[in-house]
Amino acid sequence: MTHREVNFDGLIGPTHNYAGLSIGNLASSTNQGLISNPRAAALQGLAKMRAVHALGIPQGFLPPLQRPDLGVLRRLGFAGSDRQCLDKAARDAPDLLANIYSASSMWTANAATIAPSPDTPDGKVHFLPANLAKHFHRAIEAPATASALRHIFNDPSVFVHHPALPGGVHFGDEGAANHGRFCNDHWGRATHLFVYGKDGARFPARQRLCASEAVARAFSLTADRAVFLQQSTAALDAGAFHNDVVSVVNNNVLFTHEQAFEDQPAALTRLRAAVPDLQIIEAPASVVSLDDAISTYLFNSQLLTVAGDSMALILPAESQENDRVRTFLEYVEAGDNPISQIIYQDVRESMRNGGGPACLRLRVVLSDAERAAMNPHFLLDDEKFTALEEWVSTHYRDRLHPDDFADPALLEECFAALDALTTLLHMGAFYGFQH
Ligand code: SUG
């Protein structure tokens, strides 16, 4: 049976903005209050999806969540019409608006953790949505993301949906951004890498060890198939709020910074024991500093199998602009390793919020039969890319500032855009406001 990786990118929503909501994410804090360009952001995201699709890799998408999330405002005691709820929140709790307007569901690497069917005892694909408990604007994504995943992967004979972990920050879980899957090819039984954090001197950790262990348990991964490594506190305190900012896995390759893991030599020894044919491509700190890695998102790249053992690396344009990082990448491309193609993509609007190419996608390994069983409207082809580009150009603003959230016209525009999206892609009444 053939299994292939499908990348499900977050379609960037019409309220993409810079509100500075994420402590520990340097880009989010530094760019707080800038004017964003949601239209450019969404078109950059679609261009990246097209680039992956052009490599012959199937590409899907997860739709933007309904924003503003008026349901959250109502649960917080605001009442009346939609307009009245928003007006009261703008007057009495203005900080809430940036949270309920956040387009952060675009970073689908945080949507869930997934165990493909070769890895699970029942031979089904398992999904566990991340609770994203650390930040309010992200924690409110979880219930809607869980329903979106159920809607897209809706055949219970092949897909299993677990609930998000309970207990808030005690079981803080940030999904696939702290998870890697090692295998010889996408259809072999895999070894799963779970990376957790411990609070640093400067920044708190988001992913808890007990959460990673719970996810592995939910997937029935045996002890020989799950490795738990601690992210280095040096990386966390330098601004790597998720492990995918400092390392990435594909098949049996680990592409990593030298300071990604706590006590890295011992961590890699454990990993080698669990993944016998592991190949490690490591950037020495003397060549690429943690600061360079984090400011360019060199490791927040998509490492993709293109043909046979060959791999392509999709990187943010910022990696090309840094001489030390670009030189290292040229060395990697020419070296004796599977990476044979380097592709730079402009995802600057997302990068200014700390989201690179790898943050924007959720990897789902599916057999042909499983792909046929999912909802086909969420897989993309050239025609749909063009339709989505036109939809973005019609409905999205090219300037947005957090002060604009008090503008009632924005709410109308957002719902009109999402309504048009559901018609365009035959999604049915996907959003709460459509019921
Ligand atoms: O959770 N930024 C996101 C970026 C997530 C990146 N994902 C991965 N590394 N996989 C976050 O910090 C910024 C929102 C704001 O500041 O308005 C934000 O949520």
Side-chain angles (χ1 to χ4, degrees), residues 17-22 25 28 104 107 109-110 137-138 177 206 241-242 244-245 300 353-355 359:
N17 73 91
Y18 301 121
L21 299 176
S22 284
N25 170 343
S28 159
S104 52
W107 299 296
N110 303 119
H137 71 291
R138 302 230 57 186
R206 298 196 196 182
F241 54 96
H242 290 136
D244 69 1
V245 177
N300 197 262
N353 256 335
C359 302

Side-chain angles (χ1 to χ4, degrees), residues 8 111 127 192 250 257 379 381 424:
F8 286 84
F127 296 81
H192 292 246
N250 186 51
H257 190 269
L379 287 172
D381 55 24
L424 185 68

Side-chain angles (χ1 to χ4, degrees), residues 12 106 211 228 231 246 251 402 406 416:
I12 297 177
M106 69 169 82
F228 302 89
Q231 184 184 15
V246 280
N251 287 0

